[in-house]
């Protein structure tokens, strides 16, 4: 059976971002900037690099800034043009007509529920899921690496990363099967296992390629860890029915849902920038000294 190409990506952006209060009281956490681009922009650019044609944002109350970000800002653009300023920085926020869709998650019931909210737009196609606060830096990008592998093996795929044993209770964890380079066969999945019970230290990171059948599983999915509808639980029920692999990402991941991870990501990106890198590096060295 031929492998269907990947055209759609779901971005669950309905979360409350409570770990970043008060900054996220009026601003979506996905709009927090890494230097001068919001997290959600990096995730969308990663999807575009991987060949995604339609971005599906699962939003919630107070998330209109995300819609505004990917819209045309007539007054801003007219003012900048009148002053002779370049619009290059705004061009990257424009997506092709029909390339964006929005659906509302009316209450925060978990990642699985957020993905299920996009079922009518996803339809009967495979799709990607990207969590913007998992900030991934690599060349090519994380999703492009996953798509290249997916076109070889098909089925379902998750991004996998080794984490310290004492942190496995914070993640979904893979029961690994056969390993072939960066690809690991997924024999089982468990969400946030109790300390000392994890089947491996290979954790699930916020990038997924899923077959549409997961929507039918989520339709009747009960609540799991944390009292939420967990995407990991639904994926676990599909193991054995379809090929399932984890791809170890060749790059660097920053947990920007965590304050220290967010600050570290900003510093790392800033130091690597041609325009400000030398200044930031000199300041960091002086500060640490």
């Amino acid at each position: 059976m031929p492998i269907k190409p990947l055209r759609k990506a779901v971005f669950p952006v309905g979360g409350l971002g409570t770990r970043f209060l008060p900054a996220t009281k009026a601003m979506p956490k996905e709009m927090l900037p890494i230097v001068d681009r919001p997290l959600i922009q990096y995730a969308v650019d990663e999807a575009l690099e991987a060949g995604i044609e339609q971005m599906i944002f699962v939003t919630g109350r107070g998330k209109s800034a995300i819609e505004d970000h990917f819209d045309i800002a007539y007054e801003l653009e007219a003012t900048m043009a009148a002053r002779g300023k370049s619009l290059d920085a705004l061009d990257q926020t424009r997506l092709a007509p029909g390339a964006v869709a929005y659906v509302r998650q009316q209450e925060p019931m978990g990642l699985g529920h957020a993905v299920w909210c996009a079922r009518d737009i996803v339809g009967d196609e495979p799709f990607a899921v990207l969590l913007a606060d998992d900030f991934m830096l690599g060349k090519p990008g994380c999703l492009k690496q996953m798509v290249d592998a997916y076109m070889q093996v098909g089925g379902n795929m998750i991004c996998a990363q080794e984490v310290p044993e004492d942190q496995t209770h914070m993640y979904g964890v893979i029961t690994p099967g056969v390993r072939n380079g960066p690809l690991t066969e997924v024999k089982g999945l468990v969400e946030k296992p109790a300390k000392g019970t994890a089947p491996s230290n290979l954790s699930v990171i916020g990038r997924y390629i899923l077959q549409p059948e997961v929507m039918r599983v989520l339709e009747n999915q009960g609540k799991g860890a944390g009292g939420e509808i967990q995407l990991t639980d639904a994926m676990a029920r599909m193991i054995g029915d379809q090929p399932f692999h984890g791809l170890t990402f060749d790059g660097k991941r920053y947990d920007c849902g965590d304050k220290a991870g967010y600050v570290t990501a900003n510093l790392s990106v800033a130091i690597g920038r041609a325009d400000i890198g030398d200044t930031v590096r000199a300041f960091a060295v002086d500060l640490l000294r």
Side-chain angles (χ1 to χ4, degrees):
M1 186 174 180
I3 298 171
K4 288 186 178 180
L6 206 66
R7 300 190 312 112
K8 300 181 179 182
V10 175
F11 299 82
V13 294
L16 299 175
T18 54
R19 285 188 287 178
F20 275 85
L21 287 170
T24 50
K25 179 181 179 182
M27 178 177 70
K29 66 176 181 177
E30 296 83 9
M31 290 300 295
L32 290 171
I34 301 295
V35 185
D36 54 4
R37 293 166 66 203
L39 284 166
I40 190 63
Q41 181 73 60
Y42 284 97
V44 166
D45 289 346
E46 182 184 327
L48 288 170
E49 179 196 19
I52 298 299
E53 299 172 11
Q54 185 176 36
M55 315 294 164
I56 305 165
F57 296 96
V58 182
T59 68
R61 285 180 290 277
K63 299 287 183 166
S64 59
I66 295 174
E67 298 183 32
D68 292 341
H69 180 75
F70 292 106
D71 202 352
I72 296 173
Y74 291 103
E75 292 180 358
L76 174 61
E77 294 183 17
T79 300
M80 291 179 67
R83 294 176 180 176
K85 294 187 175 182
S86 171
L87 299 179
D88 289 350
L90 296 178
D91 287 343
Q92 62 189 287
T93 68
R94 288 190 173 186
L95 298 174
V100 186
Y102 297 94
V103 61
R104 189 76 166 246
Q105 183 186 22
Q106 293 186 315
E107 53 182 318
M109 294 175 60
L111 177 58
H113 180 260
V115 170
W116 180 76
C117 287
R119 64 197 180 280
D120 290 337
I121 305 174
V122 166
D124 192 30
E125 292 189 46
F127 63 100
V129 179
L130 296 92
L131 307 186
D133 52 7
D134 268 327
F135 179 59
M136 316 292 274
L137 281 181
K139 291 184 179 180
C142 182
L143 189 61
K144 179 66 167 67
Q145 293 181 31
M146 293 178 67
V147 168
D148 288 346
Y150 162 77
M151 293 306 296
Q152 299 299 317
V153 298
N156 300 280
M157 187 171 293
I158 53 182
C159 179
Q161 183 183 53
E162 291 186 353
V163 298
E165 297 283 356
D166 60 355
Q167 294 182 18
T168 53
H169 67 284
M170 302 163 59
Y171 296 90
V173 179
I174 295 170
T175 300
V178 176
R179 297 196 181 196
N180 181 15
L183 275 179
T184 301
E185 181 186 12
V186 176
K187 305 289 284 186
L189 287 167
V190 58
E191 179 67 23
K192 296 187 172 91
K195 288 185 179 181
T197 66
S200 74
N201 71 332
L202 206 56
S203 65
V204 179
I205 305 303
R207 299 290 186 275
Y208 313 78
I209 294 175
L210 301 171
Q211 296 301 313
E213 287 79 9
V214 74
M215 294 299 191
R216 292 190 277 276
V217 177
L218 286 167
E219 183 83 39
N220 301 304
Q221 181 74 37
K223 293 180 179 179
E228 296 183 333
I229 297 174
Q230 297 289 349
L231 181 60
T232 302
D233 294 341
M235 291 189 299
R237 291 171 60 186
M238 298 173 67
I239 294 171
D241 295 332
Q242 298 173 336
F244 213 125
H245 294 87
L247 179 84
T248 302
F249 170 53
D250 182 14
K252 181 71 175 176
R253 175 239 181 188
Y254 298 89
D255 180 5
C256 287
D258 170 78
K259 294 173 186 175
Y262 174 70
V263 173
T264 303
N266 264 284
L267 183 60
S268 179
V269 171
I271 287 175
R273 289 268 296 251
D275 54 345
I276 61 175
D278 290 344
T279 301
V280 175
R281 185 182 296 104
F283 168 76
V285 169
D286 184 61
L287 182 68
L288 292 173
R289 185 183 296 128

